[in-house]
């Protein structure tokens, strides 16, 4: 009887938790189709705010900057982070431990500290704030997450695989690309996804290092939240839709590949 009550309580608690997390998202999606400017009363279905969003050059530029910076930062940080993790796996333990501790600093640091540090760094170098500083900042704080994601996969990798590949005539580059990278690919993909999410979502660091005319979605939403603008709901719904489609594709594609592989076998 006690176990049954415990299960019922767990289900209720899970339901409340899911409601707490997803009700605001559903609220945003619903009111993005509201015909009026009200954010509390739904007065009818309309695509008015989506039309306003797509006709706004400011919003479209923010979306473009966000996607471009997130993609470039993800690609560069994934390559740099993966190579750094592979290099550390072949380094001495003392050096590896020191670098890993240093790598954890940007992750554990409050974002406001990192933002101020980057602002002072760029100012000291005389670099004008804008697209370049925003991109460099995103690459900087995304790379540690890639290293942190790839390192466990490298630790579980059999070190004799590389030696065997080299003994069989493979060059170091071939051993890296055909032996090491395929084995640690799940860690690389996880790191890339974390990097993309961190870049796409970042506000505090972006706010400090960006310049005039270069805004991402988070900064734009912050500036628009000071006044009632239902276009925020439309923009947020668009982002939610893109992320949902990406997650669905990421889960479906491996299943399709696995089915094709089984058919070929």
């Amino acid at each position: 009887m006690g176990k049954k009550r415990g299960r019922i309580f767990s289900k209720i608690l899970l339901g409340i938790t899911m409601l707490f997390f997803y009700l605001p998202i559903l609220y945003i999606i619903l009111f993005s189709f509201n015909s009026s400017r009200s954010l509390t009363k739904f007065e009818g279905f309309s695509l008015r705010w989506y039309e306003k969003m797509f006709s706004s050059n400011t919003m479209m530029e923010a979306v473009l900057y966000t996607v471009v910076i997130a993609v470039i930062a993800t690609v560069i940080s994934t390559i740099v982070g993966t190579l750094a993790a592979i290099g550390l796996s072949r380094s001495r333990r003392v050096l590896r431990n020191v670098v890993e501790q240093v790598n954890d600093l940007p992750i554990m640091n409050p974002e406001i500290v990192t933002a101020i540090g980057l602002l002072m760094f760029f100012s000291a170098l005389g670099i004008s704030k804008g697209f370049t500083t925003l991109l460099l900042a995103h690459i900087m704080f995304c790379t540690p997450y890639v290293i942190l994601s790839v390192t466990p996969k490298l630790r579980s990798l059999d070190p004799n695989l590389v030696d065997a590949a080299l003994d069989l005539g493979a060059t170091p580059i071939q051993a890296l690309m055909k032996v090491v990278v395929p084995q640690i690919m799940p860690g690389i993909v996880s790191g890339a996804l974390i990097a993309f999410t961190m870049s796409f979502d970042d506000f505090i660091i972006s706010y400090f290092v960006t310049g005039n005319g270069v805004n991402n979605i988070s900064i734009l939403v912050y500036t628009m939240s000071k006044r009632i603008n239902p276009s925020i709901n439309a923009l947020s719904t668009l982002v939610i839709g893109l992320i949902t489609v990406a997650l669905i594709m990421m889960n479906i594609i491996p299943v399709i590949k696995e089915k094709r592989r089984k058919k070929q076998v």
Side-chain angles (χ1 to χ4, degrees):
M1 191 69 178
K3 291 183 178 180
K4 187 176 181 181
R5 289 181 178 177
R7 291 176 181 175
I8 294 174
F9 176 77
S10 299
K11 291 180 179 179
I12 294 174
L13 182 61
L14 178 61
I16 294 174
T17 304
M18 297 292 286
L19 190 66
F20 177 78
F21 281 116
Y22 290 102
L23 186 60
I25 297 176
L26 296 175
Y27 182 89
I28 289 174
I29 295 174
L30 175 63
F31 277 85
S32 69
F33 297 101
N34 193 9
S35 59
S36 69
R37 296 183 62 89
S38 175
L39 299 178
T40 57
K41 183 178 180 182
F42 191 83
E43 298 183 3
F45 181 86
S46 174
L47 296 176
R48 169 187 177 185
W49 306 115
Y50 287 91
E51 294 175 358
K52 185 175 181 180
M53 178 189 67
F54 284 111
S55 62
S56 173
N57 292 330
T58 303
M59 286 190 177
M60 291 297 99
E61 286 180 359
V63 172
L64 180 62
Y65 278 125
T66 302
V67 173
V68 170
I69 290 175
V71 170
I72 297 176
T74 299
V75 172
I76 296 177
S77 63
T78 301
I79 295 173
V80 173
T82 301
L83 293 176
I86 293 173
L88 288 174
S89 67
R90 294 283 176 172
S91 302
R92 295 181 180 180
R93 178 173 294 182
V94 175
L95 176 62
R96 183 168 63 248
N97 291 338
V98 171
V99 175
E100 287 179 354
Q101 293 297 324
V102 173
N103 183 70
D104 292 338
L105 286 177
I107 299 175
M108 299 176 66
N109 256 344
E111 284 195 0
I112 186 66
V113 176
T114 303
I116 295 173
L118 287 171
L119 175 62
M120 295 176 65
F121 177 73
F122 291 137
S123 298
L125 294 179
I127 302 176
S128 300
K129 293 192 298 180
F131 181 86
T132 302
T133 55
L134 187 59
L135 178 59
L136 291 175
H138 280 230
I139 294 172
M140 187 283 298
F141 70 73
C142 286
T143 301
Y145 290 96
V146 177
I147 297 175
L148 195 64
S149 179
V150 174
T151 299
K153 291 295 180 181
L154 286 167
R155 288 176 178 171
S156 63
L157 184 65
D158 187 353
N160 296 321
L161 290 175
V162 177
D163 296 333
L166 295 175
D167 290 340
L168 292 172
T171 64
I173 298 297
Q174 289 174 334
L176 174 65
M177 299 304 297
K178 295 185 178 181
V179 177
V180 177
V181 172
Q183 294 292 324
I184 63 173
M185 186 56 69
I188 296 175
V189 173
S190 298
L193 290 175
I194 295 173
F196 183 85
T197 303
M198 295 296 296
S199 176
F200 199 94
D201 180 62
D202 181 74
F203 166 71
I204 297 177
I205 296 176
S206 299
Y207 187 79
F208 274 78
V209 301
T210 191
N212 294 330
V214 181
N215 293 326
N216 57 13
I217 292 177
S218 59
I219 296 175
L220 179 66
V221 171
Y222 171 74
T223 57
M224 293 174 63
S225 64
K226 297 179 181 179
R227 59 186 184 277
I228 297 178
N229 193 336
S231 297
I232 297 177
N233 294 335
L235 181 60
S236 301
T237 302
L238 177 64
V239 174
I240 293 169
L242 292 174
I243 294 174
T244 303
V245 171
L247 289 174
I248 292 174
M249 294 299 294
M250 286 173 53
N251 286 276
I252 291 178
I253 290 175
V255 175
I256 295 175
K257 288 183 177 180
E258 184 64 21
K259 288 183 178 180
R260 289 181 177 176
R261 188 184 66 81
K262 290 181 179 180
K263 288 182 180 179
Q264 291 175 356
V265 173

